[in-house]
Amino acid sequence: MAASGAQLTNQYCNAPVCAPSRASLLTGLNQGNAKVRDNQFDKQIENNHTIATVLKIAGYATSVIGKWGLQGETKDEPNWPAHPQKRGLMIFWLYAPCRWT
């Protein structure tokens, strides 16, 4: 992407709290159309294309490092309804309560 000259210089923050902002960034949905609207971490990111699935299809390696908080109602990792690998992210290093996974 960089060799082709793509520059992504601006990102509008879609929500004042972290989970909805991450969901909007990953899915491209504004908060009027997004499922994740609050910071309760009980909503899963939609089962639809994300920026990660589109980049993966184009041949890029995709990863997430840090907090996810978009997994859905269960805490039974790795069986989250919206596990990062189910949303196009090949590599993940996530912070979960009191441990790294």
Side-chain angles (χ1 to χ4, degrees):
M1 208 173 355
S4 300
Q7 295 183 15
L8 309 174
T9 60
N10 296 304
Q11 161 59 20
Y12 172 77
C13 182
N14 286 288
V17 290
C18 55
S21 288
R22 284 194 308 279
S24 289
L25 177 65
L26 288 166
T27 62
L29 295 173
N30 66 43
Q31 280 298 291
N33 297 314
K35 183 177 179 182
V36 179
R37 291 183 174 206
D38 59 31
N39 218 24
Q40 298 301 314
F41 305 116
D42 59 346
K43 308 283 190 305
Q44 69 182 21
I45 192 171
E46 291 87 352
N47 188 11
N48 203 337
H49 283 291
T50 65
I51 191 170
T53 60
V54 173
L55 289 172
K56 188 176 174 183
I57 290 168
Y60 291 92
T62 57
S63 65
V64 62
I65 299 171
K67 185 166 66 169
W68 185 243
L70 303 168
Q71 65 268 11
E73 294 185 27
T74 182
K75 302 266 185 210
D76 299 328
E77 183 198 349
N79 299 316
W80 294 336
H83 192 278
Q85 289 179 322
K86 294 178 182 175
R87 298 301 184 261
L89 294 151
M90 300 161 66
I91 301 166
F92 60 97
W93 190 297
L94 300 178
Y95 173 77
C98 302
R99 70 182 193 280
W100 286 91
T101 58

